[in-house]
Amino acid sequence: MLDIKRIRENEKEVRQGLKNRGADTTAIDKVTSLDKDRRKLLTDVEALKNRRNVVSKEIGVLKKKGENTDTIQAEMRDLGNKITAIDVQVREIDVQLDAQMLLIPNIPHSSIPVGPDKFSNKVVREFGKPATFNFKPKTHVEIGDNLGIFDFDRATKMTGAGFPLFVGTGARLQRALISFMLDMHVKEHGYKELWPPAVCNSASMRGTGQLPKMAEDMYHVTLDDLWLIPTAEVPVTNYYRDEILDKPLPIYLTAYTSCFRREAGSAGKETRGLIRVHQFDKVEMVKFVEPETSYDELELLVSNAEDVLKRLGLHYRVLMLCSGDISFSAAKCYDIELWAPGQNDWLEVSSCSNFEDFQARRANIKYRKDGKARLVHTLNGSGVALARLVVAILENYQQADGSVVIPEALVPYMGGITKLEKT
RNA sequence: GGAGAGGUGGCCGAGUGGCCUAAGGCGCAGCACUGGAAAUGCUGUGUGCUCCUAAAGGGCACCGUGGGUUCAAAUCCCACCCUCUCCGCCA
């Protein structure tokens, strides 16, 4: 959520930011007009309330002296009715104002390219070189089917399309990658590990910005009004919801969770394989930092995610997303994409964002600076998403005979297995 | 699912209609004491909104949430939510 004062005082800048995003600015019209009405009513009603408070106190004193207060009480009764009437108006405005504010996305940071869509994203760096093959590289689906490490048909039987099922060394690979990444973030990058719930309540979903806008993209357990998390960002960021942190910043948290996404509106797209699925696994990194340092922290966050890929010897590139391509809550965002030879394309495996105080305002997360409570800045990034990482590993490390070499760093986590082979 | 207890400031905790402008304690900050610290003492310490060009200062709201009663509600009434304990069921 944006600061209403920022809209009030820098309306032009806010409007320009929204335009750069390709977002609708009519909410700004509504907000500024509601805000004006609200403040006028508040001034009026607060003056009346002040009078009521003062007179009520006097009544108490007079009564103690045994004096008759019927006339003043009648007067105050009228005043009370006036107050109630205005309060009702204020409350109606508050509801509308809140609803509008929740729909306004974050303002893109000045350092990012302005553009309407992903074609304006900027490649900021590239690591490694594309793997070369003396045979035609297969897709991960062909490789995996041949090795028997996943089973999409049976997964469809037990659940439905888009829910992957890993088998044997495929399942082992998942577990190995999770441990490998968590260990790295905990031991080398200074994160504290959490193992959070896979469902969250609506307040948490609102806190990180999934609700109200993204309701259709999530699985909703209506009986209990709980939501399956689309990313560990939700439980991990809400870890500190409604708190004033008394520990020193920055705070780094990491967590592995399954992630659930309905992928509404993408029916028929990339239905085969692991690239777009309803449930996938991800290690997430979340940071709570002082506003002054949040952009430095973002660079560090990206490098933490890159370290995972470097260690696995994968070819990747880092994109700075343009104003039209960043997510609802983000002010600045880097995507990391892995090269997948079988797809002959780049795969997004990480998205690292600075939300500034946008989530902190919604989730009410503060810290103390010189005795004053201030909103923290929140950041998060995938470190990294498993399903597509597996795609890249299979496609990059595939051999002519159909086997797949396990990247060296992963071998200890695979219990010494160095190669996935048909059994 | 059944029964009971409870939700008050950063934290603990008192408070059953009007000096509650929320006692007391802990924590935190400043000062004093000290060679320095601890201990001790003193002082100060909530959040949000709003008025004011700004500062200074003023006002309003907030004791789980939402309603209600009253001139006046942390306190009385109604509904709901959450947490804890015990019992039942259960990995």
Side-chain angles (χ1 to χ4, degrees), chain A residues 106-120:
Chain A
N106 205 350
I107 302 302
H109 190 252
S110 57
S111 64
I112 75 174
V114 173
D117 52 38
K118 66 176 184 182
F119 299 107
S120 301

PDB file of all heavy atoms in Angstrom, chain A residues 106-120:
ATOM      1  N   ASN A 106       2.581  -0.644  -6.342  1.00  0.00           N
ATOM      2  CA  ASN A 106       3.730   0.153  -5.909  1.00  0.00           C
ATOM      3  C   ASN A 106       4.252   1.001  -7.075  1.00  0.00           C
ATOM      4  O   ASN A 106       3.995   0.699  -8.241  1.00  0.00           O
ATOM      5  CB  ASN A 106       4.827  -0.778  -5.393  1.00  0.00           C
ATOM      6  CG  ASN A 106       5.749  -0.083  -4.400  1.00  0.00           C
ATOM      7  OD1 ASN A 106       5.691   1.134  -4.238  1.00  0.00           O
ATOM      8  ND2 ASN A 106       6.588  -0.859  -3.747  1.00  0.00           N
ATOM      9  N   ILE A 107       4.984   2.048  -6.738  1.00  0.00           N
ATOM     10  CA  ILE A 107       5.544   2.950  -7.749  1.00  0.00           C
ATOM     11  C   ILE A 107       6.940   2.430  -8.133  1.00  0.00           C
ATOM     12  O   ILE A 107       7.762   2.190  -7.260  1.00  0.00           O
ATOM     13  CB  ILE A 107       5.664   4.384  -7.178  1.00  0.00           C
ATOM     14  CG1 ILE A 107       4.295   4.894  -6.724  1.00  0.00           C
ATOM     15  CG2 ILE A 107       6.284   5.323  -8.197  1.00  0.00           C
ATOM     16  CD1 ILE A 107       3.242   4.905  -7.808  1.00  0.00           C
ATOM     17  N   PRO A 108       7.182   2.270  -9.422  1.00  0.00           N
ATOM     18  CA  PRO A 108       8.495   1.752  -9.852  1.00  0.00           C
ATOM     19  C   PRO A 108       9.631   2.689  -9.432  1.00  0.00           C
ATOM     20  O   PRO A 108       9.472   3.908  -9.448  1.00  0.00           O
ATOM     21  CB  PRO A 108       8.384   1.719 -11.377  1.00  0.00           C
ATOM     22  CG  PRO A 108       6.930   1.810 -11.692  1.00  0.00           C
ATOM     23  CD  PRO A 108       6.284   2.527 -10.552  1.00  0.00           C
ATOM     24  N   HIS A 109      10.762   2.126  -9.070  1.00  0.00           N
ATOM     25  CA  HIS A 109      11.931   2.903  -8.660  1.00  0.00           C
ATOM     26  C   HIS A 109      12.533   3.613  -9.868  1.00  0.00           C
ATOM     27  O   HIS A 109      12.441   3.122 -10.997  1.00  0.00           O
ATOM     28  CB  HIS A 109      12.961   1.956  -8.034  1.00  0.00           C
ATOM     29  CG  HIS A 109      14.094   2.662  -7.377  1.00  0.00           C
ATOM     30  ND1 HIS A 109      15.364   2.677  -7.905  1.00  0.00           N
ATOM     31  CD2 HIS A 109      14.148   3.374  -6.226  1.00  0.00           C
ATOM     32  CE1 HIS A 109      16.157   3.378  -7.093  1.00  0.00           C
ATOM     33  NE2 HIS A 109      15.444   3.799  -6.079  1.00  0.00           N
ATOM     34  N   SER A 110      13.150   4.763  -9.607  1.00  0.00           N
ATOM     35  CA  SER A 110      13.650   5.592 -10.710  1.00  0.00           C
ATOM     36  C   SER A 110      14.778   4.918 -11.498  1.00  0.00           C
ATOM     37  O   SER A 110      15.061   5.307 -12.633  1.00  0.00           O
ATOM     38  CB  SER A 110      14.143   6.928 -10.154  1.00  0.00           C
ATOM     39  OG  SER A 110      15.141   6.684  -9.179  1.00  0.00           O
ATOM     40  N   SER A 111      15.416   3.903 -10.904  1.00  0.00           N
ATOM     41  CA  SER A 111      16.575   3.300 -11.580  1.00  0.00           C
ATOM     42  C   SER A 111      16.186   2.257 -12.626  1.00  0.00           C
ATOM     43  O   SER A 111      17.052   1.734 -13.322  1.00  0.00           O
ATOM     44  CB  SER A 111      17.471   2.631 -10.534  1.00  0.00           C
ATOM     45  OG  SER A 111      16.793   1.572  -9.901  1.00  0.00           O
ATOM     46  N   ILE A 112      14.912   1.952 -12.751  1.00  0.00           N
ATOM     47  CA  ILE A 112      14.554   0.866 -13.668  1.00  0.00           C
ATOM     48  C   ILE A 112      14.076   1.401 -15.011  1.00  0.00           C
ATOM     49  O   ILE A 112      13.557   2.511 -15.091  1.00  0.00           O
ATOM     50  CB  ILE A 112      13.509  -0.095 -13.049  1.00  0.00           C
ATOM     51  CG1 ILE A 112      12.112   0.511 -13.030  1.00  0.00           C
ATOM     52  CG2 ILE A 112      13.918  -0.524 -11.652  1.00  0.00           C
ATOM     53  CD1 ILE A 112      11.058  -0.499 -12.550  1.00  0.00           C
ATOM     54  N   PRO A 113      14.297   0.608 -16.067  1.00  0.00           N
ATOM     55  CA  PRO A 113      13.879   1.080 -17.386  1.00  0.00           C
ATOM     56  C   PRO A 113      12.362   1.231 -17.488  1.00  0.00           C
ATOM     57  O   PRO A 113      11.627   0.458 -16.885  1.00  0.00           O
ATOM     58  CB  PRO A 113      14.373  -0.022 -18.336  1.00  0.00           C
ATOM     59  CG  PRO A 113      14.726  -1.190 -17.482  1.00  0.00           C
ATOM     60  CD  PRO A 113      14.971  -0.698 -16.104  1.00  0.00           C
ATOM     61  N   VAL A 114      11.947   2.258 -18.216  1.00  0.00           N
ATOM     62  CA  VAL A 114      10.518   2.455 -18.441  1.00  0.00           C
ATOM     63  C   VAL A 114      10.139   1.735 -19.722  1.00  0.00           C
ATOM     64  O   VAL A 114      10.824   1.872 -20.738  1.00  0.00           O
ATOM     65  CB  VAL A 114      10.189   3.958 -18.559  1.00  0.00           C
ATOM     66  CG1 VAL A 114       8.737   4.169 -18.964  1.00  0.00           C
ATOM     67  CG2 VAL A 114      10.477   4.660 -17.231  1.00  0.00           C
ATOM     68  N   GLY A 115       9.102   0.952 -19.665  1.00  0.00           N
ATOM     69  CA  GLY A 115       8.665   0.235 -20.859  1.00  0.00           C
ATOM     70  C   GLY A 115       7.401  -0.531 -20.566  1.00  0.00           C
ATOM     71  O   GLY A 115       7.095  -0.798 -19.408  1.00  0.00           O
ATOM     72  N   PRO A 116       6.675  -0.899 -21.623  1.00  0.00           N
ATOM     73  CA  PRO A 116       5.355  -1.483 -21.433  1.00  0.00           C
ATOM     74  C   PRO A 116       5.352  -2.969 -21.085  1.00  0.00           C
ATOM     75  O   PRO A 116       4.419  -3.446 -20.447  1.00  0.00           O
ATOM     76  CB  PRO A 116       4.676  -1.268 -22.788  1.00  0.00           C
ATOM     77  CG  PRO A 116       5.803  -1.250 -23.768  1.00  0.00           C
ATOM     78  CD  PRO A 116       6.986  -0.677 -23.042  1.00  0.00           C
ATOM     79  N   ASP A 117       6.359  -3.710 -21.509  1.00  0.00           N
ATOM     80  CA  ASP A 117       6.302  -5.159 -21.324  1.00  0.00           C
ATOM     81  C   ASP A 117       7.712  -5.736 -21.260  1.00  0.00           C
ATOM     82  O   ASP A 117       8.696  -5.004 -21.250  1.00  0.00           O
ATOM     83  CB  ASP A 117       5.518  -5.811 -22.470  1.00  0.00           C
ATOM     84  CG  ASP A 117       6.051  -5.360 -23.815  1.00  0.00           C
ATOM     85  OD1 ASP A 117       7.281  -5.206 -23.946  1.00  0.00           O
ATOM     86  OD2 ASP A 117       5.240  -5.138 -24.742  1.00  0.00           O
ATOM     87  N   LYS A 118       7.786  -7.065 -21.270  1.00  0.00           N
ATOM     88  CA  LYS A 118       9.069  -7.729 -21.011  1.00  0.00           C
ATOM     89  C   LYS A 118      10.138  -7.401 -22.046  1.00  0.00           C
ATOM     90  O   LYS A 118      11.331  -7.594 -21.783  1.00  0.00           O
ATOM     91  CB  LYS A 118       8.870  -9.238 -20.927  1.00  0.00           C
ATOM     92  CG  LYS A 118       8.445  -9.895 -22.225  1.00  0.00           C
ATOM     93  CD  LYS A 118       8.375 -11.405 -22.048  1.00  0.00           C
ATOM     94  CE  LYS A 118       8.046 -12.086 -23.375  1.00  0.00           C
ATOM     95  NZ  LYS A 118       7.931 -13.541 -23.244  1.00  0.00           N
ATOM     96  N   PHE A 119       9.740  -6.877 -23.186  1.00  0.00           N
ATOM     97  CA  PHE A 119      10.742  -6.569 -24.205  1.00  0.00           C
ATOM     98  C   PHE A 119      11.590  -5.357 -23.825  1.00  0.00           C
ATOM     99  O   PHE A 119      12.612  -5.098 -24.439  1.00  0.00           O
ATOM    100  CB  PHE A 119      10.077  -6.399 -25.573  1.00  0.00           C
ATOM    101  CG  PHE A 119       9.373  -7.665 -26.008  1.00  0.00           C
ATOM    102  CD1 PHE A 119       7.985  -7.761 -26.002  1.00  0.00           C
ATOM    103  CD2 PHE A 119      10.127  -8.784 -26.377  1.00  0.00           C
ATOM    104  CE1 PHE A 119       7.359  -8.945 -26.372  1.00  0.00           C
ATOM    105  CE2 PHE A 119       9.496  -9.966 -26.742  1.00  0.00           C
ATOM    106  CZ  PHE A 119       8.107 -10.054 -26.738  1.00  0.00           C
ATOM    107  N   SER A 120      11.162  -4.628 -22.810  1.00  0.00           N
ATOM    108  CA  SER A 120      11.975  -3.505 -22.331  1.00  0.00           C
ATOM    109  C   SER A 120      12.847  -3.875 -21.137  1.00  0.00           C
ATOM    110  O   SER A 120      13.550  -3.021 -20.601  1.00  0.00           O
ATOM    111  CB  SER A 120      11.068  -2.333 -21.930  1.00  0.00           C
ATOM    112  OG  SER A 120      10.289  -1.922 -23.038  1.00  0.00           O
TER     113      SER A 120
END
